[in-house]
mmCIF file of all heavy atoms in Angstrom:
data_model
loop_
_atom_site.group_PDB
_atom_site.id
_atom_site.type_symbol
_atom_site.label_atom_id
_atom_site.label_comp_id
_atom_site.label_asym_id
_atom_site.label_seq_id
_atom_site.Cartn_x
_atom_site.Cartn_y
_atom_site.Cartn_z
ATOM 1 N N LEU D 295 -53.987 -9.933 248.994
ATOM 2 C CA LEU D 295 -53.126 -10.982 249.543
ATOM 3 C C LEU D 295 -51.929 -11.267 248.631
ATOM 4 O O LEU D 295 -50.779 -11.343 249.081
ATOM 5 C CB LEU D 295 -53.951 -12.252 249.759
ATOM 6 C CG LEU D 295 -53.186 -13.443 250.345
ATOM 7 C CD1 LEU D 295 -52.613 -13.097 251.717
ATOM 8 C CD2 LEU D 295 -54.086 -14.668 250.440
ATOM 9 N N ILE D 296 -52.203 -11.426 247.350
ATOM 10 C CA ILE D 296 -51.106 -11.724 246.414
ATOM 11 C C ILE D 296 -50.154 -10.538 246.327
ATOM 12 O O ILE D 296 -48.919 -10.691 246.277
ATOM 13 C CB ILE D 296 -51.682 -12.072 245.028
ATOM 14 C CG1 ILE D 296 -52.547 -13.330 245.116
ATOM 15 C CG2 ILE D 296 -50.557 -12.276 244.012
ATOM 16 C CD1 ILE D 296 -53.229 -13.710 243.820
ATOM 17 N N LEU D 297 -50.705 -9.363 246.353
ATOM 18 C CA LEU D 297 -49.853 -8.181 246.283
ATOM 19 C C LEU D 297 -48.965 -8.048 247.515
ATOM 20 O O LEU D 297 -47.825 -7.566 247.442
ATOM 21 C CB LEU D 297 -50.720 -6.935 246.128
ATOM 22 C CG LEU D 297 -51.454 -6.807 244.788
ATOM 23 C CD1 LEU D 297 -52.330 -5.570 244.793
ATOM 24 C CD2 LEU D 297 -50.477 -6.768 243.640
ATOM 25 N N LYS D 298 -49.485 -8.464 248.664
ATOM 26 C CA LYS D 298 -48.670 -8.419 249.883
ATOM 27 C C LYS D 298 -47.472 -9.361 249.782
ATOM 28 O O LYS D 298 -46.346 -9.012 250.162
ATOM 29 C CB LYS D 298 -49.543 -8.794 251.077
ATOM 30 C CG LYS D 298 -48.820 -8.664 252.411
ATOM 31 C CD LYS D 298 -49.751 -8.967 253.569
ATOM 32 C CE LYS D 298 -49.007 -8.828 254.899
ATOM 33 N NZ LYS D 298 -49.888 -9.122 256.059
ATOM 34 N N GLN D 299 -47.729 -10.569 249.262
ATOM 35 C CA GLN D 299 -46.617 -11.502 249.061
ATOM 36 C C GLN D 299 -45.600 -10.937 248.056
ATOM 37 O O GLN D 299 -44.375 -11.027 248.254
ATOM 38 C CB GLN D 299 -47.157 -12.848 248.556
ATOM 39 C CG GLN D 299 -48.020 -13.588 249.569
ATOM 40 C CD GLN D 299 -48.567 -14.883 248.997
ATOM 41 O OE1 GLN D 299 -48.413 -15.167 247.814
ATOM 42 N NE2 GLN D 299 -49.226 -15.661 249.849
ATOM 43 N N LEU D 300 -46.134 -10.375 247.011
ATOM 44 C CA LEU D 300 -45.238 -9.808 246.004
ATOM 45 C C LEU D 300 -44.409 -8.665 246.597
ATOM 46 O O LEU D 300 -43.217 -8.527 246.308
ATOM 47 C CB LEU D 300 -46.063 -9.321 244.818
ATOM 48 C CG LEU D 300 -45.264 -8.762 243.621
ATOM 49 C CD1 LEU D 300 -44.339 -9.823 243.054
ATOM 50 C CD2 LEU D 300 -46.206 -8.229 242.559
ATOM 51 N N ASP D 301 -45.048 -7.855 247.438
ATOM 52 C CA ASP D 301 -44.322 -6.759 248.070
ATOM 53 C C ASP D 301 -43.207 -7.262 248.968
ATOM 54 O O ASP D 301 -42.115 -6.670 249.039
ATOM 55 C CB ASP D 301 -45.306 -5.895 248.865
ATOM 56 C CG ASP D 301 -44.639 -4.660 249.421
ATOM 57 O OD1 ASP D 301 -44.270 -3.776 248.624
ATOM 58 O OD2 ASP D 301 -44.455 -4.578 250.653
ATOM 59 N N THR D 302 -43.481 -8.383 249.668
ATOM 60 C CA THR D 302 -42.447 -8.968 250.532
ATOM 61 C C THR D 302 -41.232 -9.386 249.715
ATOM 62 O O THR D 302 -40.076 -9.100 250.074
ATOM 63 C CB THR D 302 -42.997 -10.176 251.289
ATOM 64 O OG1 THR D 302 -44.125 -9.761 252.062
ATOM 65 C CG2 THR D 302 -41.940 -10.770 252.216
ATOM 66 N N TYR D 303 -41.477 -10.063 248.593
ATOM 67 C CA TYR D 303 -40.355 -10.496 247.751
ATOM 68 C C TYR D 303 -39.665 -9.310 247.078
ATOM 69 O O TYR D 303 -38.442 -9.322 246.871
ATOM 70 C CB TYR D 303 -40.850 -11.489 246.690
ATOM 71 C CG TYR D 303 -41.055 -12.878 247.245
ATOM 72 C CD1 TYR D 303 -42.312 -13.351 247.536
ATOM 73 C CD2 TYR D 303 -39.966 -13.706 247.487
ATOM 74 C CE1 TYR D 303 -42.516 -14.628 248.042
ATOM 75 C CE2 TYR D 303 -40.145 -14.985 247.996
ATOM 76 C CZ TYR D 303 -41.421 -15.434 248.280
ATOM 77 O OH TYR D 303 -41.592 -16.684 248.806
ATOM 78 N N GLU D 304 -40.445 -8.294 246.734
ATOM 79 C CA GLU D 304 -39.822 -7.106 246.156
ATOM 80 C C GLU D 304 -38.900 -6.430 247.169
ATOM 81 O O GLU D 304 -37.814 -5.949 246.829
ATOM 82 C CB GLU D 304 -40.903 -6.120 245.706
ATOM 83 C CG GLU D 304 -41.676 -6.550 244.474
ATOM 84 C CD GLU D 304 -40.861 -6.406 243.204
ATOM 85 O OE1 GLU D 304 -39.725 -5.913 243.285
ATOM 86 O OE2 GLU D 304 -41.358 -6.810 242.131
ATOM 87 N N THR D 305 -39.337 -6.400 248.434
ATOM 88 C CA THR D 305 -38.492 -5.826 249.480
ATOM 89 C C THR D 305 -37.202 -6.628 249.636
ATOM 90 O O THR D 305 -36.106 -6.070 249.790
ATOM 91 C CB THR D 305 -39.253 -5.790 250.814
ATOM 92 O OG1 THR D 305 -40.459 -5.041 250.648
ATOM 93 C CG2 THR D 305 -38.407 -5.140 251.899
ATOM 94 N N ALA D 306 -37.356 -7.953 249.610
ATOM 95 C CA ALA D 306 -36.169 -8.807 249.705
ATOM 96 C C ALA D 306 -35.225 -8.573 248.524
ATOM 97 O O ALA D 306 -34.008 -8.513 248.677
ATOM 98 C CB ALA D 306 -36.579 -10.275 249.765
ATOM 99 N N ARG D 307 -35.817 -8.418 247.341
ATOM 100 C CA ARG D 307 -34.980 -8.169 246.165
ATOM 101 C C ARG D 307 -34.260 -6.830 246.282
ATOM 102 O O ARG D 307 -33.090 -6.697 245.894
ATOM 103 C CB ARG D 307 -35.838 -8.205 244.907
ATOM 104 C CG ARG D 307 -35.031 -8.020 243.615
ATOM 105 C CD ARG D 307 -35.864 -8.232 242.389
ATOM 106 N NE ARG D 307 -36.925 -7.236 242.302
ATOM 107 C CZ ARG D 307 -37.794 -7.177 241.277
ATOM 108 N NH1 ARG D 307 -37.717 -8.068 240.308
ATOM 109 N NH2 ARG D 307 -38.736 -6.252 241.261
ATOM 110 N N THR D 308 -34.956 -5.825 246.822
ATOM 111 C CA THR D 308 -34.315 -4.514 247.021
ATOM 112 C C THR D 308 -33.145 -4.617 247.992
ATOM 113 O O THR D 308 -32.077 -4.031 247.781
ATOM 114 C CB THR D 308 -35.340 -3.506 247.544
ATOM 115 O OG1 THR D 308 -36.418 -3.404 246.599
ATOM 116 C CG2 THR D 308 -34.695 -2.129 247.721
ATOM 117 N N SER D 309 -33.348 -5.378 249.077
ATOM 118 C CA SER D 309 -32.272 -5.557 250.050
ATOM 119 C C SER D 309 -31.074 -6.258 249.418
ATOM 120 O O SER D 309 -29.917 -5.871 249.629
ATOM 121 C CB SER D 309 -32.785 -6.357 251.249
ATOM 122 O OG SER D 309 -31.749 -6.596 252.164
ATOM 123 N N ILE D 310 -31.363 -7.272 248.635
ATOM 124 C CA ILE D 310 -30.276 -7.987 247.950
ATOM 125 C C ILE D 310 -29.584 -7.055 246.954
ATOM 126 O O ILE D 310 -28.349 -7.064 246.826
ATOM 127 C CB ILE D 310 -30.823 -9.242 247.243
ATOM 128 C CG1 ILE D 310 -31.354 -10.239 248.276
ATOM 129 C CG2 ILE D 310 -29.739 -9.895 246.389
ATOM 130 C CD1 ILE D 310 -32.081 -11.409 247.669
ATOM 131 N N GLN D 311 -30.363 -6.236 246.272
ATOM 132 C CA GLN D 311 -29.784 -5.325 245.289
ATOM 133 C C GLN D 311 -28.842 -4.322 245.967
ATOM 134 O O GLN D 311 -27.773 -3.986 245.440
ATOM 135 C CB GLN D 311 -30.907 -4.588 244.554
ATOM 136 C CG GLN D 311 -30.421 -3.612 243.493
ATOM 137 C CD GLN D 311 -29.728 -4.317 242.332
ATOM 138 O OE1 GLN D 311 -30.031 -5.466 242.043
ATOM 139 N NE2 GLN D 311 -28.785 -3.643 241.706
ATOM 140 N N LYS D 312 -29.241 -3.866 247.170
ATOM 141 C CA LYS D 312 -28.383 -2.935 247.897
ATOM 142 C C LYS D 312 -27.057 -3.605 248.273
ATOM 143 O O LYS D 312 -25.983 -2.997 248.162
ATOM 144 C CB LYS D 312 -29.102 -2.439 249.150
ATOM 145 C CG LYS D 312 -30.229 -1.454 248.848
ATOM 146 C CD LYS D 312 -30.740 -0.801 250.108
ATOM 147 C CE LYS D 312 -31.516 -1.790 250.960
ATOM 148 N NZ LYS D 312 -32.126 -1.128 252.135
ATOM 149 N N GLU D 313 -27.134 -4.857 248.720
ATOM 150 C CA GLU D 313 -25.900 -5.568 249.057
ATOM 151 C C GLU D 313 -25.035 -5.764 247.817
ATOM 152 O O GLU D 313 -23.805 -5.635 247.873
ATOM 153 C CB GLU D 313 -26.233 -6.920 249.685
ATOM 154 C CG GLU D 313 -26.888 -6.824 251.056
ATOM 155 C CD GLU D 313 -27.037 -8.182 251.721
ATOM 156 O OE1 GLU D 313 -26.269 -9.087 251.355
ATOM 157 O OE2 GLU D 313 -27.925 -8.331 252.571
ATOM 158 N N ILE D 314 -25.667 -6.064 246.694
ATOM 159 C CA ILE D 314 -24.899 -6.249 245.448
ATOM 160 C C ILE D 314 -24.215 -4.936 245.060
ATOM 161 O O ILE D 314 -23.050 -4.918 244.643
ATOM 162 C CB ILE D 314 -25.837 -6.754 244.327
ATOM 163 C CG1 ILE D 314 -26.279 -8.194 244.617
ATOM 164 C CG2 ILE D 314 -25.142 -6.671 242.973
ATOM 165 C CD1 ILE D 314 -27.277 -8.738 243.625
ATOM 166 N N ILE D 315 -24.921 -3.816 245.219
ATOM 167 C CA ILE D 315 -24.333 -2.517 244.881
ATOM 168 C C ILE D 315 -23.127 -2.240 245.762
ATOM 169 O O ILE D 315 -22.072 -1.778 245.308
ATOM 170 C CB ILE D 315 -25.399 -1.407 245.024
ATOM 171 C CG1 ILE D 315 -26.436 -1.534 243.905
ATOM 172 C CG2 ILE D 315 -24.736 -0.023 244.975
ATOM 173 C CD1 ILE D 315 -27.597 -0.569 244.049
ATOM 174 N N ASN D 316 -23.267 -2.533 247.066
ATOM 175 C CA ASN D 316 -22.151 -2.292 247.991
ATOM 176 C C ASN D 316 -20.934 -3.140 247.637
ATOM 177 O O ASN D 316 -19.801 -2.661 247.613
ATOM 178 C CB ASN D 316 -22.595 -2.587 249.425
ATOM 179 C CG ASN D 316 -23.542 -1.533 249.968
ATOM 180 O OD1 ASN D 316 -23.530 -0.405 249.498
ATOM 181 N ND2 ASN D 316 -24.352 -1.889 250.935
ATOM 182 N N ILE D 317 -21.168 -4.420 247.379
ATOM 183 C CA ILE D 317 -20.048 -5.327 247.076
ATOM 184 C C ILE D 317 -19.402 -4.942 245.746
ATOM 185 O O ILE D 317 -18.176 -4.947 245.599
ATOM 186 C CB ILE D 317 -20.521 -6.788 247.075
ATOM 187 C CG1 ILE D 317 -20.962 -7.189 248.488
ATOM 188 C CG2 ILE D 317 -19.419 -7.713 246.589
ATOM 189 C CD1 ILE D 317 -21.510 -8.593 248.578
ATOM 190 N N LYS D 318 -20.220 -4.587 244.745
ATOM 191 C CA LYS D 318 -19.651 -4.177 243.461
ATOM 192 C C LYS D 318 -18.804 -2.920 243.611
ATOM 193 O O LYS D 318 -17.740 -2.795 243.000
ATOM 194 C CB LYS D 318 -20.775 -3.930 242.454
ATOM 195 C CG LYS D 318 -21.356 -5.207 241.849
ATOM 196 C CD LYS D 318 -22.383 -4.870 240.784
ATOM 197 C CE LYS D 318 -22.905 -6.144 240.110
ATOM 198 N NZ LYS D 318 -23.920 -5.846 239.064
ATOM 199 N N ALA D 319 -19.306 -1.984 244.423
ATOM 200 C CA ALA D 319 -18.529 -0.761 244.642
ATOM 201 C C ALA D 319 -17.202 -1.070 245.319
ATOM 202 O O ALA D 319 -16.163 -0.498 244.986
ATOM 203 C CB ALA D 319 -19.341 0.217 245.501
ATOM 204 N N LYS D 320 -17.235 -2.003 246.290
ATOM 205 C CA LYS D 320 -16.012 -2.385 246.983
ATOM 206 C C LYS D 320 -15.021 -3.046 246.029
ATOM 207 O O LYS D 320 -13.823 -2.721 246.016
ATOM 208 C CB LYS D 320 -16.354 -3.324 248.135
ATOM 209 C CG LYS D 320 -15.151 -3.775 248.952
ATOM 210 C CD LYS D 320 -15.608 -4.662 250.084
ATOM 211 C CE LYS D 320 -14.416 -5.136 250.923
ATOM 212 N NZ LYS D 320 -14.860 -6.008 252.035
ATOM 213 N N ILE D 321 -15.519 -3.974 245.209
ATOM 214 C CA ILE D 321 -14.639 -4.682 244.258
ATOM 215 C C ILE D 321 -14.075 -3.691 243.239
ATOM 216 O O ILE D 321 -12.889 -3.730 242.900
ATOM 217 C CB ILE D 321 -15.420 -5.818 243.574
ATOM 218 C CG1 ILE D 321 -15.779 -6.911 244.601
ATOM 219 C CG2 ILE D 321 -14.602 -6.410 242.425
ATOM 220 C CD1 ILE D 321 -16.648 -8.003 244.043
ATOM 221 N N GLU D 322 -14.935 -2.786 242.768
ATOM 222 C CA GLU D 322 -14.468 -1.808 241.791
ATOM 223 C C GLU D 322 -13.423 -0.879 242.393
ATOM 224 O O GLU D 322 -12.459 -0.489 241.743
ATOM 225 C CB GLU D 322 -15.643 -1.002 241.262
ATOM 226 C CG GLU D 322 -15.267 -0.070 240.110
ATOM 227 C CD GLU D 322 -16.482 0.567 239.486
ATOM 228 O OE1 GLU D 322 -17.596 0.169 239.846
ATOM 229 O OE2 GLU D 322 -16.308 1.445 238.636
ATOM 230 N N LYS D 323 -13.604 -0.551 243.661
ATOM 231 C CA LYS D 323 -12.630 0.307 244.347
ATOM 232 C C LYS D 323 -11.276 -0.391 244.442
ATOM 233 O O LYS D 323 -10.227 0.205 244.197
ATOM 234 C CB LYS D 323 -13.152 0.652 245.742
ATOM 235 C CG LYS D 323 -12.253 1.612 246.514
ATOM 236 C CD LYS D 323 -12.883 1.943 247.854
ATOM 237 C CE LYS D 323 -12.016 2.914 248.638
ATOM 238 N NZ LYS D 323 -12.598 3.231 249.956
ATOM 239 N N ILE D 324 -11.287 -1.683 244.820
ATOM 240 C CA ILE D 324 -10.032 -2.449 244.923
ATOM 241 C C ILE D 324 -9.347 -2.538 243.562
ATOM 242 O O ILE D 324 -8.146 -2.303 243.428
ATOM 243 C CB ILE D 324 -10.312 -3.854 245.481
ATOM 244 C CG1 ILE D 324 -10.809 -3.760 246.935
ATOM 245 C CG2 ILE D 324 -9.062 -4.734 245.410
ATOM 246 C CD1 ILE D 324 -11.239 -5.081 247.514
ATOM 247 N N GLN D 325 -10.127 -2.856 242.524
ATOM 248 C CA GLN D 325 -9.534 -2.994 241.194
ATOM 249 C C GLN D 325 -9.005 -1.662 240.678
ATOM 250 O O GLN D 325 -7.965 -1.612 240.023
ATOM 251 C CB GLN D 325 -10.588 -3.563 240.239
ATOM 252 C CG GLN D 325 -10.977 -5.010 240.569
ATOM 253 C CD GLN D 325 -12.131 -5.507 239.704
ATOM 254 O OE1 GLN D 325 -12.818 -4.726 239.038
ATOM 255 N NE2 GLN D 325 -12.339 -6.815 239.691
ATOM 256 N N ASP D 326 -9.688 -0.563 240.980
ATOM 257 C CA ASP D 326 -9.231 0.753 240.548
ATOM 258 C C ASP D 326 -7.925 1.117 241.237
ATOM 259 O O ASP D 326 -7.002 1.635 240.605
ATOM 260 C CB ASP D 326 -10.303 1.791 240.863
ATOM 261 C CG ASP D 326 -9.879 3.180 240.394
ATOM 262 O OD1 ASP D 326 -9.813 3.383 239.178
ATOM 263 O OD2 ASP D 326 -9.585 4.026 241.253
ATOM 264 N N LEU D 327 -7.827 0.845 242.549
ATOM 265 C CA LEU D 327 -6.585 1.120 243.263
ATOM 266 C C LEU D 327 -5.441 0.272 242.735
ATOM 267 O O LEU D 327 -4.299 0.723 242.651
ATOM 268 C CB LEU D 327 -6.782 0.867 244.765
ATOM 269 C CG LEU D 327 -7.651 1.903 245.505
ATOM 270 C CD1 LEU D 327 -7.906 1.452 246.931
ATOM 271 C CD2 LEU D 327 -6.997 3.262 245.486
ATOM 272 N N ARG D 328 -5.722 -0.968 242.390
ATOM 273 C CA ARG D 328 -4.656 -1.836 241.845
ATOM 274 C C ARG D 328 -4.200 -1.359 240.478
ATOM 275 O O ARG D 328 -3.033 -1.481 240.133
ATOM 276 C CB ARG D 328 -5.157 -3.278 241.763
ATOM 277 C CG ARG D 328 -5.182 -3.980 243.123
ATOM 278 C CD ARG D 328 -5.456 -5.449 242.942
ATOM 279 N NE ARG D 328 -5.083 -6.194 244.135
ATOM 280 C CZ ARG D 328 -5.129 -7.524 244.215
ATOM 281 N NH1 ARG D 328 -5.517 -8.227 243.175
ATOM 282 N NH2 ARG D 328 -4.768 -8.127 245.312
ATOM 283 N N ARG D 329 -5.141 -0.809 239.691
ATOM 284 C CA ARG D 329 -4.729 -0.308 238.374
ATOM 285 C C ARG D 329 -3.892 0.953 238.492
ATOM 286 O O ARG D 329 -2.903 1.114 237.787
ATOM 287 C CB ARG D 329 -5.968 -0.029 237.509
ATOM 288 C CG ARG D 329 -6.623 -1.263 236.926
ATOM 289 C CD ARG D 329 -7.621 -0.887 235.849
ATOM 290 N NE ARG D 329 -8.689 -0.048 236.359
ATOM 291 C CZ ARG D 329 -9.819 -0.506 236.855
ATOM 292 N NH1 ARG D 329 -10.060 -1.804 236.890
ATOM 293 N NH2 ARG D 329 -10.743 0.319 237.318
ATOM 294 N N THR D 330 -4.297 1.856 239.378
ATOM 295 C CA THR D 330 -3.565 3.109 239.521
ATOM 296 C C THR D 330 -2.244 2.938 240.249
ATOM 297 O O THR D 330 -1.308 3.692 240.008
ATOM 298 C CB THR D 330 -4.426 4.140 240.277
ATOM 299 O OG1 THR D 330 -4.810 3.579 241.548
ATOM 300 C CG2 THR D 330 -5.668 4.478 239.472
ATOM 301 N N ASN D 331 -2.168 1.955 241.122
ATOM 302 C CA ASN D 331 -0.928 1.747 241.903
ATOM 303 C C ASN D 331 -0.666 0.249 242.038
ATOM 304 O O ASN D 331 -1.045 -0.362 243.035
ATOM 305 C CB ASN D 331 -1.042 2.394 243.278
ATOM 306 C CG ASN D 331 0.278 2.400 244.016
ATOM 307 O OD1 ASN D 331 1.322 2.028 243.455
ATOM 308 N ND2 ASN D 331 0.269 2.815 245.262
ATOM 309 N N PRO D 332 -0.052 -0.373 241.012
ATOM 310 C CA PRO D 332 0.168 -1.829 241.066
ATOM 311 C C PRO D 332 1.035 -2.260 242.239
ATOM 312 O O PRO D 332 0.967 -3.412 242.656
ATOM 313 C CB PRO D 332 0.867 -2.108 239.727
ATOM 314 C CG PRO D 332 0.551 -0.948 238.855
ATOM 315 C CD PRO D 332 0.425 0.221 239.767
ATOM 316 N N LYS D 333 1.871 -1.357 242.784
ATOM 317 C CA LYS D 333 2.760 -1.736 243.885
ATOM 318 C C LYS D 333 2.064 -1.710 245.245
ATOM 319 O O LYS D 333 2.643 -2.113 246.235
ATOM 320 C CB LYS D 333 3.974 -0.799 243.927
ATOM 321 C CG LYS D 333 4.862 -0.906 242.690
ATOM 322 C CD LYS D 333 6.074 -0.013 242.840
ATOM 323 C CE LYS D 333 7.000 -0.117 241.632
ATOM 324 N NZ LYS D 333 8.185 0.747 241.782
ATOM 325 N N LEU D 334 0.819 -1.231 245.273
ATOM 326 C CA LEU D 334 0.093 -1.145 246.545
ATOM 327 C C LEU D 334 -0.277 -2.543 247.017
ATOM 328 O O LEU D 334 -0.940 -3.297 246.306
ATOM 329 C CB LEU D 334 -1.168 -0.300 246.363
ATOM 330 C CG LEU D 334 -1.985 -0.007 247.616
ATOM 331 C CD1 LEU D 334 -1.161 0.805 248.608
ATOM 332 C CD2 LEU D 334 -3.263 0.730 247.256
ATOM 333 N N LEU D 335 0.173 -2.901 248.215
ATOM 334 C CA LEU D 335 -0.074 -4.250 248.737
ATOM 335 C C LEU D 335 -1.499 -4.391 249.262
ATOM 336 O O LEU D 335 -2.192 -5.359 248.951
ATOM 337 C CB LEU D 335 0.925 -4.577 249.855
ATOM 338 C CG LEU D 335 2.382 -4.733 249.431
ATOM 339 C CD1 LEU D 335 3.256 -5.011 250.637
ATOM 340 C CD2 LEU D 335 2.532 -5.839 248.412
ATOM 341 N N ILE D 336 -1.946 -3.436 250.079
ATOM 342 C CA ILE D 336 -3.251 -3.536 250.732
ATOM 343 C C ILE D 336 -4.106 -2.390 250.204
ATOM 344 O O ILE D 336 -3.957 -1.249 250.616
ATOM 345 C CB ILE D 336 -3.104 -3.459 252.263
ATOM 346 C CG1 ILE D 336 -2.141 -4.553 252.738
ATOM 347 C CG2 ILE D 336 -4.458 -3.610 252.934
ATOM 348 C CD1 ILE D 336 -1.831 -4.479 254.209
ATOM 349 N N PRO D 337 -5.021 -2.655 249.241
ATOM 350 C CA PRO D 337 -5.760 -1.578 248.596
ATOM 351 C C PRO D 337 -6.774 -0.886 249.482
ATOM 352 O O PRO D 337 -7.090 0.267 249.260
ATOM 353 C CB PRO D 337 -6.430 -2.295 247.418
ATOM 354 C CG PRO D 337 -6.506 -3.719 247.813
ATOM 355 C CD PRO D 337 -5.319 -3.982 248.673
ATOM 356 N N LEU D 338 -7.337 -1.575 250.479
ATOM 357 C CA LEU D 338 -8.362 -0.974 251.329
ATOM 358 C C LEU D 338 -7.984 -1.106 252.789
ATOM 359 O O LEU D 338 -7.440 -2.134 253.205
ATOM 360 C CB LEU D 338 -9.722 -1.653 251.088
ATOM 361 C CG LEU D 338 -10.437 -1.314 249.775
ATOM 362 C CD1 LEU D 338 -11.742 -2.068 249.686
ATOM 363 C CD2 LEU D 338 -10.682 0.170 249.648
ATOM 364 N N PRO D 339 -8.302 -0.092 253.614
ATOM 365 C CA PRO D 339 -7.990 -0.192 255.046
ATOM 366 C C PRO D 339 -8.688 -1.360 255.713
ATOM 367 O O PRO D 339 -8.138 -1.979 256.611
ATOM 368 C CB PRO D 339 -8.464 1.165 255.593
ATOM 369 C CG PRO D 339 -8.441 2.089 254.426
ATOM 370 C CD PRO D 339 -8.798 1.249 253.246
#
């Protein structure tokens, strides 16, 4: 029973971690484009 609850929270943490990875990649992509091309107005489509 306790392990099942723990597994549920671990799954939730994994889902949150995936979202964090996606957002970090997006932010890093925007910052990288701004560094390479400061004149670029809209870094991402």
Side-chain angles (χ1 to χ4, degrees):
L295 181 60
I296 298 177
L297 292 177
K298 185 177 180 180
Q299 294 178 353
L300 183 60
D301 186 69
T302 302
Y303 282 103
E304 288 286 357
T305 303
R307 183 173 63 178
T308 301
S309 177
I310 295 172
Q311 180 66 28
K312 287 190 289 185
E313 292 187 24
I314 290 176
I315 289 174
N316 288 336
I317 295 177
K318 281 184 176 180
K320 181 178 180 180
I321 293 175
E322 187 172 352
K323 183 177 181 181
I324 294 174
Q325 293 174 346
D326 181 69
L327 288 173
R328 283 190 162 185
R329 283 193 299 270
T330 56
N331 189 7
K333 296 183 179 180
L334 185 63
L335 292 178
I336 304 175
L338 286 179

